[in-house]
Amino acid sequence: MDQIDRDILRELQRDGRLTNQELAQRVGLSASPCMRRVRQLEADGVIQGYRAVVNPEAVGRGFEVLVSIEVRRDRGTVEAFEEALQEIPDVIEAYRLFGSPGCLLRIAVADLKAYERLWIERLTALAGVTEVNSQIIMKRVKEPMGLPVDR
């Protein structure tokens, strides 16, 4: 990957809706070579997809919580727990961690009452869960803006 590829990645992370012509102009290429590079980055799995960034409040999910969960650490329990998480749409990110806690979740719901219901009915009921700790997000200080692509 050369500097032009990195420039393409940087621009697409800023605005995935750029036309090929706009992108080519920003990275100093003509349209055809730019399109070939983008297609190659997609084929190589460097670009994994394109998404819209949605305002959580606009869709009734402005209350976000970071949740650390301890799960019994045997293979079957961990696999069942991770599979069950896939069925909970309020869990918008989930990470298995080394050490404690064993799992970190990012949850988006409407309000505290909705989170309490999720906590009682779903999170604490998951097989193997031994502990659930919640940190309510007060303010998002830095928005996700993509990965740094410079070396």
Side-chain angles (χ1 to χ4, degrees):
M1 188 170 358
D2 64 12
Q3 189 58 47
I4 293 174
D5 289 336
R6 286 184 177 80
D7 291 344
I8 288 170
L9 294 173
R10 190 177 308 100
E11 292 300 329
L12 287 176
Q13 284 186 109
R14 284 187 194 133
D15 184 357
R17 292 187 58 152
L18 287 173
T19 66
N20 184 57
Q21 190 67 37
E22 291 169 323
L23 179 60
Q25 187 175 26
R26 289 185 186 189
V27 301
L29 290 175
S30 60
S32 292
C34 183
M35 180 59 72
R36 276 194 300 276
R37 283 177 178 257
V38 170
R39 296 288 182 244
Q40 190 63 54
L41 289 166
E42 291 169 346
D44 291 345
V46 177
I47 297 175
Q48 296 180 334
Y50 301 88
R51 293 182 178 85
V53 178
V54 177
N55 177 341
E57 305 246 347
V59 294
R61 292 188 176 270
F63 190 83
E64 291 189 23
V65 184
L66 297 177
V67 180
S68 57
I69 294 186
E70 286 295 346
V71 178
R72 277 194 327 272
R73 296 184 189 232
D74 63 83
R75 182 179 180 170
T77 300
V78 170
E79 288 174 353
F81 171 79
E82 290 178 357
E83 189 174 316
L85 287 180
Q86 305 304 315
E87 304 303 317
I88 305 174
D90 303 315
V91 176
I92 58 175
E93 291 181 68
Y95 302 92
R96 185 191 314 166
L97 307 174
F98 287 105
S100 284
C103 186
L104 181 65
L105 310 178
R106 184 170 149 232
I107 293 175
V109 291
D111 53 27
L112 181 59
K113 191 171 196 82
Y115 177 65
E116 181 183 15
R117 190 169 43 257
L118 175 71
W119 190 91
I120 291 169
E121 295 174 6
R122 303 291 297 271
L123 299 179
T124 59
L126 292 170
V129 169
T130 60
E131 188 175 336
V132 179
N133 292 299
S134 308
Q135 289 83 38
I136 297 170
I137 296 175
M138 180 187 309
K139 174 184 173 185
R140 186 181 303 244
V141 177
K142 184 176 180 181
E143 292 288 330
M145 296 301 295
L147 295 171
V149 294
D150 294 327
R151 280 198 192 188

